[in-house]
Amino acid sequence: MRHLRSDTDLDAASFARVLQLGRAIKRRPADYRDRLAGQSVAAIFAKPSTRTRVSFEVGIYQLGAQALVLATSGAGGLQVGRGETVADTAQVMSRYVHAIVIRTFAQAEVDELAARGAVPVINALTDSFHPCQALADAMTMQEHFGDLHGRKLVFVGPGNNVSHSLLLAGPRGGFDVVCACPPSAPPDPAIFARAQADAKEAGTRVSVEHDVVAAVAGAHVVYTDTWVSMGQEADRASLLARLRPYSVTQAVMEAAGKDAVFMHCLPAHRGEEVAAEVLDGPRSVIFDEAENRLHVQKALLLLLLEAEPWE
Ligand code: CP
Ligand code: NVA
């Protein structure tokens, strides 16, 4: 059994296979209708979501399966919100459903769910990673640039879950990734070290820079994300002050390659991490990127549930 606990669960071949199947599903969705008929997929959300929740629920429906979207708090929430262990939850859920999608805080909960359950687990965002997003981003890059090899993506913003997944996606997809961040908000050192080791092996590059204009030179993609991730609300004032020089303005886009596109995982905050004229401008591919979440996640479900071969 396989999982997508983080980007490191994919090697270059399986990364390419998810993207290839995602593109095939996007071209001919009807060919995949009902491929998971009779199966049930639980999607657990301990944090808010628009894209992930809706695209998983719709995607599961489109594959003919039942989606159970489950909260972790409130009257309709899972007992895990009242202290039931993740291990017990994993074992119970594995008796009912065929796969579990989970968005939560600690990466350890995703790892525990996968270790203790008996069904594939998909990370739908943790404090550390957002692998479904990075897959959709890579698919969107393929749509714009064809081959990913030799492309350069520059993430402008804090070291966070989205930048971590992009740093790990680069070596898997064959593209270079630069994280342009303030010295006080770098990527997690252990995750960056893993990305560096993977990049060395793959023959790609990952780096951390602090000067945005220098970092975006020659970029094919300029990417940003919110400065305040879910769970960091108490640090909002400090993060905003530190990140102010890292806003993606029209001047930053002009410093990038003339064919560079702008990407953002969304939700966006106009006037903070990105200027409205960039987000809403002609180089922005944000809605293709959001749409591609649906297609790559359907591909992931088919592969992890062995309805499609990995090779
Ligand atoms: N990009 C993304 O994961 O969006 P949501 O938080 O709305 O799911
Ligand atoms: N870094 C953001 C991504 C949202 C999709 C967060 O964790 O809130």
Side-chain angles (χ1 to χ4, degrees), residues 36-49:
L36 297 182
Q39 304 208 41
S40 297
V41 179
I44 302 172
F45 286 87
K47 291 178 174 175
S49 170

Side-chain angles (χ1 to χ4, degrees), residues 258-269:
K258 70 172 170 35
D259 296 326
V261 298
F262 172 76
M263 295 177 69
H264 191 311
C265 58
L266 304 179
H269 308 81

Side-chain angles (χ1 to χ4, degrees), residues 47 51-52 103 125-127 130 133 160-162 225-226 228-232 265-267 293:
K47 291 178 174 175
R51 281 141 290 270
T52 308
R103 166 169 289 195
L125 180 147
T126 61
D127 293 344
H130 198 358
Q133 183 67 52
N160 67 4
N161 43 13
V162 170
D225 181 16
T226 181
V228 186
S229 284
M230 292 177 277
Q232 296 183 327
C265 58
L266 304 179
R293 295 290 304 278

Side-chain angles (χ1 to χ4, degrees), residues 194-213:
R194 172 66 192 262
Q196 269 186 315
D198 292 345
K200 191 170 177 205
E201 200 178 312
T204 65
R205 282 181 295 198
V206 295
S207 62
V208 172
E209 310 272 348
H210 303 306
D211 179 329
V212 179
V213 168

